[in-house]
Amino acid sequence: MSRICELTGKGRQVGHNVSHANNKTKKVFLPNLQNVTLLSEKLDRAFKFRVSTQGLRSVEHNGGLDNWLLKTNDSKLSNRALKVKRELKKAAKAA
């Protein structure tokens, strides 16, 4: 499973470990991913996502999963998140 946040698209970064002698070795910085269950108020359902802690804070800041998905660009979202976003749009049209 890839180490990419499903809601923000945040992935790994590559850098260097730098020793006191200024030797540089490759290092991979991984995002802090958590398995979380987020509730959709409009759909009255719960969805499981693998989200970075920064992404989780962003979702809460924007007022929940529904608002976050509707505001976020499709290129950042995973296939599962895009499916939920389509369901939200469909529910909004029906209401």
Side-chain angles (χ1 to χ4, degrees), residues 1-4 35 50 80:
M1 185 179 291
S2 62
R3 298 191 180 260
I4 297 175
N35 293 319
R50 194 161 189 228
R80 288 177 30 193

Side-chain angles (χ1 to χ4, degrees), residues 12-15 26-30:
R12 68 182 198 142
Q13 291 183 325
V14 179
K26 292 275 188 173
K27 176 176 175 48
V28 176
F29 297 95
L30 297 174

Side-chain angles (χ1 to χ4, degrees), residues 57-83:
R57 288 183 54 171
S58 299
V59 168
E60 293 299 320
H61 179 75
N62 281 295
L65 179 66
D66 298 341
N67 289 339
W68 171 260
L69 288 175
L70 295 175
K71 288 181 182 180
T72 305
N73 189 359
D74 288 354
S75 63
K76 290 186 176 183
L77 299 174
S78 68
N79 290 336
R80 288 177 30 193
L82 283 172
K83 186 176 176 184

Side-chain angles (χ1 to χ4, degrees), residues 15-34:
H16 287 105
N17 271 336
V18 181
S19 70
H20 184 69
N22 206 25
N23 297 330
K24 295 172 183 72
T25 57
K26 292 275 188 173
K27 176 176 175 48
V28 176
F29 297 95
L30 297 174
N32 184 6
L33 296 178
Q34 304 294 324

